[in-house]
Amino acid sequence: MVEKQHSLSTIADSMQKRIDKYRVAAYQLYDASGKNDPQALQPNGAQEVRLRPDVYFVDKPHKKTDAMIFGSHENATYTRALAMSRYLDVLWGAENNSFTLYYLNGSDNSLTLISTQPLRETNPRFRDSYIGSLVDSRRGEMLQQANILDERESFSPLRKYRFLNDYYFTQHMIFNQPGHLAIIIAFDLPINDIIPLNMARANFALNRAADRNATDSDVDDDDIDDAQAPRVSSRMSGAMLEITAPLSNAPLFMAYRVSLISLALELLHNNLWLVLIDLLLIAFSLLGIYLVRKNLLRPNADSDVSDHLFR
């Protein structure tokens, strides 16, 4: 249990670093959107390909990411999508996980999708259904956030890709523009690379801190020695043990739920050799007692009987 608390604290710290990293990336993308010269961002070989009405693919060489634009848009939107894709080629160049950017442009209400997953090479029927539904879902979330005036940043619960065993969450950032609808930038950020292999990904949950009932948890101060680490708490919920760790710079906390039976079996598995050694020592002790009683005590009794008969 202490090991899982330390692991969850490390996971929360890694998630916070990832959130901070993409906060900076969102601000850089937003600041660059109004400063770059459109003509200077056109590399050789790049072009905009129309796949179907209101769906466009940004075709470019030397790509790590694929980019698509949904909806009628201005010429500057294509240039901006190309520049963002080049920026993310560098940012995600060494990544093996799936990352995705959504850019909702308040000027023309278009949505730009940039992902490390191949988009154009995907089967057209699958692309039109899955990617189309994904874009519609993200657009709805982003427009809903644009109507919340007092919330500049929001996060989704943990999600799972439909055809991948990968879990991720979505980070939304909103930037207000005078005279236009807000610009909203969202990232799908994976978590598989920061979760240990011995912890089931399906048992994790990412919740808002406001939804946490602090009175139902018992904080274990001795379990986390580092004063700067997020404070880990645990509580019993029926036959489940829930361990939670808050993020230091976001209104979120990471939760890990495990059944007590699984925890007991894991404890037994991790200490199997110790249990076997204990059982072996007990067996040797019983065998020693038996041999002592047989070879040392009973011969004395037999000799006493012989002496009595001799007399």
Side-chain angles (χ1 to χ4, degrees), residues 6 8 10 43 46 53 60 82 92 129 132 152 189-190 210 215 233 242 247 276 291 293 308:
H6 280 280
L8 192 62
T10 303
K60 61 184 178 66
L82 185 58
W92 295 337
S129 60
R152 297 289 303 276
L189 304 178
T215 60
S233 61
E242 184 179 68
L247 274 64
L276 292 177
L291 294 176
R293 290 179 61 86
H308 178 73

PDB file of all heavy atoms in Angstrom, residues 6 8 10 43 46 53 60 82 92 129 132 152 189-190 210 215 233 242 247 276 291 293 308:
ATOM      1  N   HIS A   6       3.312   6.006  -2.902  1.00  0.00           N
ATOM      2  CA  HIS A   6       4.463   6.685  -3.480  1.00  0.00           C
ATOM      3  C   HIS A   6       4.361   6.745  -5.009  1.00  0.00           C
ATOM      4  O   HIS A   6       4.700   7.763  -5.623  1.00  0.00           O
ATOM      5  CB  HIS A   6       5.745   5.973  -3.060  1.00  0.00           C
ATOM      6  CG  HIS A   6       6.212   6.308  -1.672  1.00  0.00           C
ATOM      7  ND1 HIS A   6       6.905   7.469  -1.384  1.00  0.00           N
ATOM      8  CD2 HIS A   6       6.071   5.653  -0.496  1.00  0.00           C
ATOM      9  CE1 HIS A   6       7.185   7.499  -0.088  1.00  0.00           C
ATOM     10  NE2 HIS A   6       6.682   6.405   0.476  1.00  0.00           N
ATOM     11  N   LEU A   8       1.601   6.755  -6.804  1.00  0.00           N
ATOM     12  CA  LEU A   8       0.563   7.708  -7.174  1.00  0.00           C
ATOM     13  C   LEU A   8       1.059   9.147  -7.007  1.00  0.00           C
ATOM     14  O   LEU A   8       0.717  10.025  -7.799  1.00  0.00           O
ATOM     15  CB  LEU A   8      -0.685   7.474  -6.329  1.00  0.00           C
ATOM     16  CG  LEU A   8      -1.946   8.214  -6.803  1.00  0.00           C
ATOM     17  CD1 LEU A   8      -2.335   7.736  -8.195  1.00  0.00           C
ATOM     18  CD2 LEU A   8      -3.103   7.986  -5.837  1.00  0.00           C
ATOM     19  N   THR A  10       4.135  10.112  -7.448  1.00  0.00           N
ATOM     20  CA  THR A  10       5.011  10.342  -8.602  1.00  0.00           C
ATOM     21  C   THR A  10       4.202  10.581  -9.868  1.00  0.00           C
ATOM     22  O   THR A  10       4.540  11.438 -10.692  1.00  0.00           O
ATOM     23  CB  THR A  10       5.944   9.139  -8.789  1.00  0.00           C
ATOM     24  OG1 THR A  10       6.692   8.921  -7.593  1.00  0.00           O
ATOM     25  CG2 THR A  10       6.900   9.373  -9.942  1.00  0.00           C
ATOM     26  N   PRO A  43       6.472  26.216 -46.604  1.00  0.00           N
ATOM     27  CA  PRO A  43       7.617  25.422 -47.054  1.00  0.00           C
ATOM     28  C   PRO A  43       7.348  24.813 -48.426  1.00  0.00           C
ATOM     29  O   PRO A  43       6.205  24.714 -48.875  1.00  0.00           O
ATOM     30  CB  PRO A  43       7.728  24.340 -45.986  1.00  0.00           C
ATOM     31  CG  PRO A  43       6.342  24.174 -45.486  1.00  0.00           C
ATOM     32  CD  PRO A  43       5.690  25.523 -45.578  1.00  0.00           C
ATOM     33  N   ALA A  46       4.304  21.970 -49.640  1.00  0.00           N
ATOM     34  CA  ALA A  46       3.097  21.961 -48.806  1.00  0.00           C
ATOM     35  C   ALA A  46       1.905  22.461 -49.609  1.00  0.00           C
ATOM     36  O   ALA A  46       2.011  23.403 -50.395  1.00  0.00           O
ATOM     37  CB  ALA A  46       3.299  22.826 -47.572  1.00  0.00           C
ATOM     38  N   PRO A  53     -16.424  18.030 -48.808  1.00  0.00           N
ATOM     39  CA  PRO A  53     -16.873  19.384 -48.463  1.00  0.00           C
ATOM     40  C   PRO A  53     -16.599  19.743 -47.010  1.00  0.00           C
ATOM     41  O   PRO A  53     -16.930  18.986 -46.093  1.00  0.00           O
ATOM     42  CB  PRO A  53     -18.381  19.343 -48.761  1.00  0.00           C
ATOM     43  CG  PRO A  53     -18.517  18.304 -49.822  1.00  0.00           C
ATOM     44  CD  PRO A  53     -17.472  17.276 -49.515  1.00  0.00           C
ATOM     45  N   LYS A  60       2.150  18.027 -46.300  1.00  0.00           N
ATOM     46  CA  LYS A  60       3.483  18.629 -46.199  1.00  0.00           C
ATOM     47  C   LYS A  60       4.524  17.516 -46.117  1.00  0.00           C
ATOM     48  O   LYS A  60       4.239  16.417 -45.636  1.00  0.00           O
ATOM     49  CB  LYS A  60       3.581  19.531 -44.971  1.00  0.00           C
ATOM     50  CG  LYS A  60       3.357  18.836 -43.645  1.00  0.00           C
ATOM     51  CD  LYS A  60       3.385  19.813 -42.497  1.00  0.00           C
ATOM     52  CE  LYS A  60       3.107  19.137 -41.167  1.00  0.00           C
ATOM     53  NZ  LYS A  60       4.159  18.181 -40.784  1.00  0.00           N
ATOM     54  N   LEU A  82      -0.531  25.100 -40.827  1.00  0.00           N
ATOM     55  CA  LEU A  82       0.771  24.637 -41.292  1.00  0.00           C
ATOM     56  C   LEU A  82       1.868  25.005 -40.302  1.00  0.00           C
ATOM     57  O   LEU A  82       2.747  24.186 -39.987  1.00  0.00           O
ATOM     58  CB  LEU A  82       1.055  25.240 -42.667  1.00  0.00           C
ATOM     59  CG  LEU A  82       2.318  24.775 -43.386  1.00  0.00           C
ATOM     60  CD1 LEU A  82       2.303  23.269 -43.591  1.00  0.00           C
ATOM     61  CD2 LEU A  82       2.447  25.506 -44.714  1.00  0.00           C
ATOM     62  N   TRP A  92       6.761  17.110 -30.657  1.00  0.00           N
ATOM     63  CA  TRP A  92       6.409  15.699 -30.538  1.00  0.00           C
ATOM     64  C   TRP A  92       7.347  14.792 -31.324  1.00  0.00           C
ATOM     65  O   TRP A  92       7.048  13.609 -31.535  1.00  0.00           O
ATOM     66  CB  TRP A  92       4.974  15.479 -31.024  1.00  0.00           C
ATOM     67  CG  TRP A  92       3.955  16.156 -30.165  1.00  0.00           C
ATOM     68  CD1 TRP A  92       4.098  16.527 -28.870  1.00  0.00           C
ATOM     69  CD2 TRP A  92       2.620  16.525 -30.546  1.00  0.00           C
ATOM     70  NE1 TRP A  92       2.945  17.111 -28.400  1.00  0.00           N
ATOM     71  CE2 TRP A  92       2.012  17.130 -29.407  1.00  0.00           C
ATOM     72  CE3 TRP A  92       1.878  16.419 -31.719  1.00  0.00           C
ATOM     73  CZ2 TRP A  92       0.702  17.613 -29.435  1.00  0.00           C
ATOM     74  CZ3 TRP A  92       0.575  16.902 -31.740  1.00  0.00           C
ATOM     75  CH2 TRP A  92      -0.001  17.495 -30.602  1.00  0.00           C
ATOM     76  N   SER A 129     -16.227   8.548 -40.115  1.00  0.00           N
ATOM     77  CA  SER A 129     -17.107   8.267 -38.987  1.00  0.00           C
ATOM     78  C   SER A 129     -16.427   8.578 -37.658  1.00  0.00           C
ATOM     79  O   SER A 129     -16.938   9.383 -36.866  1.00  0.00           O
ATOM     80  CB  SER A 129     -17.540   6.796 -39.019  1.00  0.00           C
ATOM     81  OG  SER A 129     -16.403   5.949 -38.932  1.00  0.00           O
ATOM     82  N   GLY A 132     -14.755  12.184 -37.633  1.00  0.00           N
ATOM     83  CA  GLY A 132     -15.839  13.163 -37.690  1.00  0.00           C
ATOM     84  C   GLY A 132     -16.583  13.270 -36.372  1.00  0.00           C
ATOM     85  O   GLY A 132     -16.866  14.376 -35.889  1.00  0.00           O
ATOM     86  N   ARG A 152     -10.912  29.818 -17.493  1.00  0.00           N
ATOM     87  CA  ARG A 152      -9.961  29.934 -18.590  1.00  0.00           C
ATOM     88  C   ARG A 152      -9.328  28.595 -18.950  1.00  0.00           C
ATOM     89  O   ARG A 152      -8.753  28.452 -20.024  1.00  0.00           O
ATOM     90  CB  ARG A 152      -8.855  30.927 -18.203  1.00  0.00           C
ATOM     91  CG  ARG A 152      -9.340  32.341 -17.966  1.00  0.00           C
ATOM     92  CD  ARG A 152      -9.755  32.991 -19.262  1.00  0.00           C
ATOM     93  NE  ARG A 152      -8.678  33.008 -20.232  1.00  0.00           N
ATOM     94  CZ  ARG A 152      -7.725  33.943 -20.282  1.00  0.00           C
ATOM     95  NH1 ARG A 152      -7.747  34.945 -19.418  1.00  0.00           N
ATOM     96  NH2 ARG A 152      -6.781  33.889 -21.192  1.00  0.00           N
ATOM     97  N   LEU A 189      -3.769  14.516 -24.023  1.00  0.00           N
ATOM     98  CA  LEU A 189      -2.474  14.169 -23.444  1.00  0.00           C
ATOM     99  C   LEU A 189      -2.520  12.749 -22.890  1.00  0.00           C
ATOM    100  O   LEU A 189      -3.337  12.452 -22.010  1.00  0.00           O
ATOM    101  CB  LEU A 189      -2.116  15.155 -22.328  1.00  0.00           C
ATOM    102  CG  LEU A 189      -2.100  16.641 -22.747  1.00  0.00           C
ATOM    103  CD1 LEU A 189      -1.787  17.521 -21.551  1.00  0.00           C
ATOM    104  CD2 LEU A 189      -1.107  16.867 -23.867  1.00  0.00           C
ATOM    105  N   PRO A 190      -1.655  11.848 -23.352  1.00  0.00           N
ATOM    106  CA  PRO A 190      -1.661  10.460 -22.870  1.00  0.00           C
ATOM    107  C   PRO A 190      -1.033  10.358 -21.485  1.00  0.00           C
ATOM    108  O   PRO A 190      -0.275  11.231 -21.050  1.00  0.00           O
ATOM    109  CB  PRO A 190      -0.818   9.728 -23.919  1.00  0.00           C
ATOM    110  CG  PRO A 190       0.122  10.773 -24.425  1.00  0.00           C
ATOM    111  CD  PRO A 190      -0.637  12.074 -24.397  1.00  0.00           C
ATOM    112  N   ALA A 210     -12.935  19.972  -6.561  1.00  0.00           N
ATOM    113  CA  ALA A 210     -14.176  20.382  -5.913  1.00  0.00           C
ATOM    114  C   ALA A 210     -15.082  19.198  -5.632  1.00  0.00           C
ATOM    115  O   ALA A 210     -15.949  19.256  -4.765  1.00  0.00           O
ATOM    116  CB  ALA A 210     -14.912  21.401  -6.778  1.00  0.00           C
ATOM    117  N   THR A 215     -13.563  14.934   4.003  1.00  0.00           N
ATOM    118  CA  THR A 215     -13.876  14.414   5.328  1.00  0.00           C
ATOM    119  C   THR A 215     -13.909  12.895   5.363  1.00  0.00           C
ATOM    120  O   THR A 215     -13.870  12.306   6.438  1.00  0.00           O
ATOM    121  CB  THR A 215     -15.242  14.954   5.794  1.00  0.00           C
ATOM    122  OG1 THR A 215     -16.244  14.531   4.852  1.00  0.00           O
ATOM    123  CG2 THR A 215     -15.207  16.466   5.858  1.00  0.00           C
ATOM    124  N   SER A 233      -3.728  10.571   0.206  1.00  0.00           N
ATOM    125  CA  SER A 233      -4.731  10.147   1.174  1.00  0.00           C
ATOM    126  C   SER A 233      -5.354   8.843   0.702  1.00  0.00           C
ATOM    127  O   SER A 233      -5.315   8.504  -0.477  1.00  0.00           O
ATOM    128  CB  SER A 233      -5.811  11.214   1.366  1.00  0.00           C
ATOM    129  OG  SER A 233      -6.485  11.456   0.141  1.00  0.00           O
ATOM    130  N   GLU A 242      -9.424   3.254  -2.008  1.00  0.00           N
ATOM    131  CA  GLU A 242      -9.193   4.376  -2.924  1.00  0.00           C
ATOM    132  C   GLU A 242      -8.039   5.227  -2.403  1.00  0.00           C
ATOM    133  O   GLU A 242      -8.088   5.728  -1.281  1.00  0.00           O
ATOM    134  CB  GLU A 242     -10.455   5.225  -3.073  1.00  0.00           C
ATOM    135  CG  GLU A 242     -10.298   6.354  -4.077  1.00  0.00           C
ATOM    136  CD  GLU A 242     -11.564   7.178  -4.227  1.00  0.00           C
ATOM    137  OE1 GLU A 242     -11.928   7.870  -3.259  1.00  0.00           O
ATOM    138  OE2 GLU A 242     -12.184   7.127  -5.308  1.00  0.00           O
ATOM    139  N   LEU A 247      -3.036  17.293  -7.568  1.00  0.00           N
ATOM    140  CA  LEU A 247      -2.027  17.947  -8.377  1.00  0.00           C
ATOM    141  C   LEU A 247      -1.715  19.310  -7.769  1.00  0.00           C
ATOM    142  O   LEU A 247      -2.609  19.998  -7.272  1.00  0.00           O
ATOM    143  CB  LEU A 247      -2.503  18.102  -9.814  1.00  0.00           C
ATOM    144  CG  LEU A 247      -2.257  16.897 -10.740  1.00  0.00           C
ATOM    145  CD1 LEU A 247      -3.048  15.680 -10.283  1.00  0.00           C
ATOM    146  CD2 LEU A 247      -2.612  17.240 -12.172  1.00  0.00           C
ATOM    147  N   LEU A 276       7.110 -18.867   1.983  1.00  0.00           N
ATOM    148  CA  LEU A 276       7.639 -20.219   1.813  1.00  0.00           C
ATOM    149  C   LEU A 276       8.782 -20.504   2.783  1.00  0.00           C
ATOM    150  O   LEU A 276       8.882 -21.613   3.334  1.00  0.00           O
ATOM    151  CB  LEU A 276       8.110 -20.411   0.369  1.00  0.00           C
ATOM    152  CG  LEU A 276       7.013 -20.435  -0.702  1.00  0.00           C
ATOM    153  CD1 LEU A 276       7.624 -20.567  -2.089  1.00  0.00           C
ATOM    154  CD2 LEU A 276       6.031 -21.568  -0.439  1.00  0.00           C
ATOM    155  N   LEU A 291      11.904 -35.727  15.879  1.00  0.00           N
ATOM    156  CA  LEU A 291      13.108 -36.547  15.990  1.00  0.00           C
ATOM    157  C   LEU A 291      13.659 -36.559  17.405  1.00  0.00           C
ATOM    158  O   LEU A 291      14.157 -37.590  17.886  1.00  0.00           O
ATOM    159  CB  LEU A 291      14.168 -36.044  14.999  1.00  0.00           C
ATOM    160  CG  LEU A 291      13.827 -36.210  13.514  1.00  0.00           C
ATOM    161  CD1 LEU A 291      14.903 -35.583  12.645  1.00  0.00           C
ATOM    162  CD2 LEU A 291      13.653 -37.694  13.174  1.00  0.00           C
ATOM    163  N   ARG A 293      11.936 -36.224  20.202  1.00  0.00           N
ATOM    164  CA  ARG A 293      11.059 -37.061  21.021  1.00  0.00           C
ATOM    165  C   ARG A 293      11.262 -38.541  20.712  1.00  0.00           C
ATOM    166  O   ARG A 293      11.181 -39.406  21.588  1.00  0.00           O
ATOM    167  CB  ARG A 293       9.599 -36.676  20.806  1.00  0.00           C
ATOM    168  CG  ARG A 293       9.245 -35.319  21.382  1.00  0.00           C
ATOM    169  CD  ARG A 293       7.779 -35.006  21.097  1.00  0.00           C
ATOM    170  NE  ARG A 293       6.905 -35.984  21.712  1.00  0.00           N
ATOM    171  CZ  ARG A 293       6.462 -35.934  22.967  1.00  0.00           C
ATOM    172  NH1 ARG A 293       6.815 -34.920  23.747  1.00  0.00           N
ATOM    173  NH2 ARG A 293       5.680 -36.883  23.451  1.00  0.00           N
ATOM    174  N   HIS A 308      13.866 -52.455  34.921  1.00  0.00           N
ATOM    175  CA  HIS A 308      12.866 -52.935  35.851  1.00  0.00           C
ATOM    176  C   HIS A 308      12.653 -54.451  35.677  1.00  0.00           C
ATOM    177  O   HIS A 308      12.524 -55.194  36.670  1.00  0.00           O
ATOM    178  CB  HIS A 308      11.542 -52.188  35.623  1.00  0.00           C
ATOM    179  CG  HIS A 308      10.447 -52.664  36.502  1.00  0.00           C
ATOM    180  ND1 HIS A 308      10.410 -52.374  37.865  1.00  0.00           N
ATOM    181  CD2 HIS A 308       9.324 -53.394  36.229  1.00  0.00           C
ATOM    182  CE1 HIS A 308       9.325 -52.905  38.412  1.00  0.00           C
ATOM    183  NE2 HIS A 308       8.642 -53.534  37.411  1.00  0.00           N
TER     184      HIS A 308
END
